[in-house]
Amino acid sequence: MLKLNNISKFYNPGTVNEMCLFEDYSLEIETGEFVSIVGSNGSGKTSLLNIICGSITQDSGEIWIDDKNISLMPEFKRAAFIGRVYQNPAFGTCPDMTILENMSIADNKGKTFGLRLGANRNKTEYYREMLSEIGLGLENKMDVKVGVLSGGQRQAMALLMATLTPVDFLILDEHTAALDPKTADKIMELTDRIVKEKKLTTLMVTHNLRYAVDYGSRLIMMHQGHNVMDYKGEEKKNIKIDNILEKFNQISIECGN
């Protein structure tokens, strides 16, 4: 279980530009939940992911995983049990290295390399099998540099690499936003399969309301650092895109837009 207890976060504190993003914000994510997070720009979605991953620090409050307090744990240590895929396909892969080298690096996350070669060619067939299941032809390009691949191919690789070693949590930060609709659908299907096969606790920020409705076991809408909608179980199964749009419109009217 992931718990955020009374998280507060201020940007530019003590200045005229001070902004309160979170104040005493709390959230519990059950083990195995697939949570879709939606909300307008500036609602706190990505900052929430950054706080969980340790990319930014909270000003107060605690973050717990089961019975372990990770509030002060640095980002690189959290990466041992958190896999993350970013909006930009370039962020999750090394463009000047081959597919084989990228997969090898991901496979060795958290291990000491010593003076041996980074790429283990004995595992080439293992990586090839894994890549063939995506259906993008990557298994035939093991010695091709990742920088020449399409955005969808790179994002598929980033997703595989983030989950290649055992992780407890998968963090998806608008990971389909930079892709064309057809490729985005393919990446979402791959995401859903990986999450189910590996039983990963997953948080996915998305602006695609269809994905938020169709995928996952829980849906949260955020606004100004608060949860204004939180559905799971049967409520989540029965929610429609129109219900989310109605809430968006209500918030927009209340904000004077």
Side-chain angles (χ1 to χ4, degrees):
M1 176 184 287
L2 172 68
K3 287 185 181 180
L4 282 75
N5 294 333
N6 305 115
I7 298 294
S8 293
K9 179 64 183 178
F10 291 81
Y11 287 113
N12 305 311
T15 73
V16 293
N17 295 318
E18 179 177 308
M19 184 188 77
C20 174
L21 182 60
F22 294 112
E23 187 168 16
D24 292 328
Y25 177 83
S26 296
L27 177 68
E28 288 189 12
I29 305 293
E30 297 288 343
T31 300
E33 277 193 317
F34 183 167
V35 185
S36 298
I37 304 174
V38 299
S40 57
N41 292 331
S43 60
K45 306 184 301 299
T46 294
S47 292
L48 173 64
L49 300 188
N50 284 333
I51 287 172
I52 292 170
C53 292
S55 305
I56 61 174
T57 56
Q58 69 277 11
D59 295 323
S60 61
E62 296 178 336
I63 305 167
W64 289 78
I65 291 180
D66 296 326
D67 58 351
K68 186 175 184 179
N69 188 337
I70 66 164
S71 304
L72 301 178
M73 183 182 289
E75 182 178 15
F76 76 92
K77 288 190 176 180
R78 298 187 199 189
F81 53 86
I82 297 177
R84 187 171 186 177
V85 185
Y86 297 86
Q87 177 178 342
N88 188 338
F91 286 178
T93 53
C94 300
D96 292 326
M97 301 178 76
T98 66
I99 289 178
L100 174 61
E101 290 167 340
N102 270 267
M103 296 293 285
S104 296
I105 285 177
D107 200 11
N108 283 283
K109 184 175 77 170
K111 303 173 186 175
T112 54
F113 277 85
L115 296 176
R116 60 189 172 84
L117 293 173
N120 184 355
R121 289 196 168 270
N122 292 329
K123 299 192 76 172
T124 301
E125 285 307 312
Y126 168 64
Y127 300 143
R128 201 191 303 276
E129 258 181 58
M130 190 178 300
L131 291 164
S132 68
E133 294 178 5
I134 304 174
L136 296 176
L138 294 173
E139 68 276 11
N140 300 318
K141 301 179 179 180
M142 299 300 290
D143 292 317
V144 172
K145 288 189 176 181
V146 170
V148 304
L149 301 179
S150 69
Q153 289 174 320
R154 289 184 73 167
Q155 200 66 313
M157 273 199 63
L159 185 57
L160 283 182
M161 290 167 63
T163 57
L164 190 56
T165 55
V167 292
D168 298 317
F169 298 92
L170 178 60
I171 302 295
L172 306 169
D173 189 0
E174 297 186 54
H175 71 308
T176 62
L179 308 176
D180 66 80
K182 184 178 179 181
T183 305
D185 284 348
K186 200 170 189 68
I187 294 299
M188 273 309 308
E189 290 168 7
L190 176 64
T191 300
D192 192 50
R193 177 165 62 80
I194 288 174
V195 168
K196 288 176 178 175
E197 285 179 356
K198 302 199 174 190
K199 297 179 173 61
L200 298 174
T201 305
T202 304
L203 284 79
M204 177 180 73
V205 165
T206 181
H207 282 296
N208 189 312
L209 300 186
R210 179 168 63 84
Y211 293 158
V213 169
D214 290 348
Y215 293 95
S217 56
R218 183 175 177 185
L219 189 149
I220 292 173
M221 179 186 287
M222 297 186 68
H223 177 62
Q224 295 181 347
H226 300 281
N227 295 346
V228 294
M229 181 183 284
D230 189 349
Y231 292 120
K232 53 186 170 181
E234 286 301 314
E235 280 188 317
K236 166 63 170 65
K237 289 179 183 176
N238 296 326
I239 198 168
K240 308 294 183 186
I241 291 177
D242 287 346
N243 302 138
I244 306 176
L245 286 173
E246 183 180 350
K247 189 65 176 179
F248 266 120
N249 291 334
Q250 179 187 335
I251 290 171
S252 184
I253 292 170
E254 290 173 356
C255 292
N257 296 326

